[in-house]
Amino acid sequence: MTVDDTGSGADTNGATPGGDPHPLAVRLEALILGAERRYTPFQAARTAGVSMELATRFWRAMGFADVGQAKAFTEADVLALRRLAGLVEAGLLSEAMAVQVARSTGQTTARLAEWQIDSFLEGLTEPPEPGMSRTEVTYPIIELLLPELEEFLVYVWRRQLSASAGRVVQAADDEEMVDRRLAVGFADLVGFTRLTRRMEEEELGELVEAFETTAADLVAANGGRLIKTLGDEVLYAADDAGVAAEIALRLIETMANDETMPELRVGIAFGTVTTRMGDVFGTTVNLASRLTSIAPRDAVLVDSAFAEELIRTTEAPASEAEAAEAAATAEKEGEEPPTYRFALQPMWQRPVRGLGVVEPWLLTRRSGGPA
């Protein structure tokens, strides 16, 4: 099936320029889908017991193009329709939510499939012997990989679902399950537009991939969640301000130690965030983006709410004077002085487009604090 609104996917019938299906494309489709085409859209909807209108909404949400009355659907497509419609009939999902499930799944897996074909099979299908075409080795390679990749996909999905469900049940109340207080961070490569004019496409692609991979690894390893990557920019979130701060500083430090990487700047804001389909929205997200755009090179700017949260959780002192006073008091009483991981330096207040006047703070590691 072709992807319609996600902008990716293979030709509906693997047609050659002359309009006839490519024989290998037909064989690959049967292998991957596990069945041959049997139903027109109307027949698939009727067999599933779903109205044509609802079936079309589901298919478009999943990213499938309109195929007229061609036979394009299999038994698996009919079963998927039955399952989605059944969830609605049982009252487990509203119709709108079922469409959202279809759309989020379609968009996520479309991107995954494109990446796997572009990055994975490009290398794996290089002819192993002189005289063999890539076409000749594609089918057996996919035949070997398909069951392994399928099982791995389900494993990772279950892991992610478990983590996400755990976060939901720990929410303070029902409203917090949708509108939650989170730390949101943007990391942006400095001068990326100039780089696109100077570098070869392959070099640029390698740089972006290295940046995204490094950022994703650091975010995950330190307890954050990668929301999305935008080439030269990464958006991440964390429930804890200290986690978000650690990620930001590690990103700066890691990139600064890599001579092939441009400089980086990071902006973080803390506050109420609306989550939808794995993405985050709201004023907090917009503020983090604006802070990134005004941050100095190789530096982290945070908003006042984020600074207050670090101070509240004793991750950072309100000022060095307060830290010195707390240390002197502890010494006088024979106690261990408080240790802080981060330092905060207030910057000049400035107007930010669409958000009024904000008071950014420069976030750094505090010398002598725990690593």
Side-chain angles (χ1 to χ4, degrees), residues 15 41 74 78 154 185 196 208 216 222 291:
T74 70
V78 171
V154 173
T196 60
V208 169
N222 289 280
L291 287 169

Side-chain angles (χ1 to χ4, degrees), residues 15-57:
T16 61
D20 296 324
H22 192 293
L24 178 60
V26 174
R27 290 180 62 214
L28 282 172
E29 182 184 272
L31 170 66
I32 294 170
L33 298 183
E36 295 183 356
R37 301 179 181 199
R38 181 175 174 182
Y39 302 102
T40 65
F42 177 77
Q43 291 169 336
R46 184 177 62 184
T47 305
V50 176
S51 71
M52 190 63 198
E53 180 185 359
L54 182 57
T56 300
R57 288 187 68 198

Side-chain angles (χ1 to χ4, degrees), residues 181-186 235-238 240-241 244 266-273 282-292 300-307 309 355 358:
R181 286 179 63 77
L182 296 175
V184 177
F186 277 95
L235 170 62
Y236 71 92
D240 180 83
V266 182
I268 316 176
F270 186 84
T272 301
V273 174
T283 303
T284 302
V285 181
N286 295 338
L287 179 53
S289 178
R290 298 286 188 272
L291 287 169
T292 306
V300 182
L301 279 189
V302 305
D303 74 327
S304 55
F306 187 88
E309 185 67 8
L355 296 170
V358 300

Side-chain angles (χ1 to χ4, degrees), residues 75-336:
E75 291 289 351
D77 295 301
V78 171
L79 181 58
L81 278 181
R82 281 184 186 149
R83 282 175 170 161
L84 274 175
L87 291 172
V88 175
E89 290 170 9
L92 295 172
L93 293 178
S94 66
E95 188 174 305
M97 182 59 69
V99 171
Q100 271 198 349
V101 168
R103 178 168 287 111
S104 62
T105 306
Q107 290 180 355
T108 302
T109 53
R111 184 180 180 192
L112 174 63
E114 285 291 324
W115 180 87
Q116 287 175 334
I117 293 297
D118 289 347
S119 304
F120 216 65
L121 297 177
E122 282 289 322
L124 288 175
T125 56
E126 288 293 340
E129 296 180 14
M132 288 187 70
S133 68
R134 178 170 292 178
T135 299
E136 289 175 310
V137 297
T138 298
Y139 188 94
I141 287 293
I142 291 181
E143 189 174 30
L144 288 170
L145 283 174
L146 187 61
E148 301 299 328
L149 290 178
E150 183 176 17
E151 287 191 15
F152 187 69
L153 174 63
V154 173
Y155 155 73
V156 175
W157 170 72
R158 283 181 178 272
R159 269 293 192 176
Q160 294 288 3
L161 189 65
S162 172
S164 184
R167 288 191 293 269
V168 167
V169 298
Q170 291 177 35
D173 51 48
D174 288 346
E175 287 186 8
E176 193 180 327
M177 291 167 61
V178 177
D179 296 319
R180 305 162 58 192
R181 286 179 63 77
L182 296 175
V184 177
F186 277 95
D188 177 57
L189 292 175
V190 178
F192 185 76
T193 303
R194 290 194 302 275
L195 283 175
T196 60
R197 294 194 292 264
R198 228 172 47 224
M199 298 178 73
E200 297 289 335
E201 285 185 11
E202 187 173 344
E203 288 181 300
L204 194 63
E206 289 174 354
L207 184 144
V208 169
E209 185 176 357
F211 169 57
E212 290 183 352
T213 300
T214 301
D217 288 350
L218 285 172
V219 170
N222 289 280
R225 297 188 297 287
L226 186 70
I227 304 299
K228 58 187 172 186
T229 58
L230 304 168
D232 62 329
E233 192 171 60
V234 166
L235 170 62
Y236 71 92
D239 299 307
D240 180 83
V243 168
E246 184 65 29
I247 290 169
L249 292 171
R250 284 190 183 271
L251 281 169
I252 294 288
E253 292 157 2
T254 302
M255 296 299 172
N257 288 328
D258 187 340
E259 294 179 356
T260 66
M261 282 290 173
E263 293 163 306
L264 191 71
R265 54 191 174 195
V266 182
I268 316 176
F270 186 84
T272 301
V273 174
T274 298
T275 59
R276 289 288 187 279
M277 292 174 60
D279 208 343
V280 290
F281 307 92
T283 303
T284 302
V285 181
N286 295 338
L287 179 53
S289 178
R290 298 286 188 272
L291 287 169
T292 306
S293 66
I294 62 174
R297 295 166 182 247
D298 284 340
V300 182
L301 279 189
V302 305
D303 74 327
S304 55
F306 187 88
E308 289 168 8
E309 185 67 8
L310 284 183
I311 294 166
R312 185 187 71 79
T313 56
T314 67
E315 294 275 18
S319 65
E320 286 304 311
E322 182 182 285
E325 184 179 339
T329 301
E331 185 179 356
K332 191 178 297 182
E333 296 177 358
E335 298 176 353
E336 284 291 320

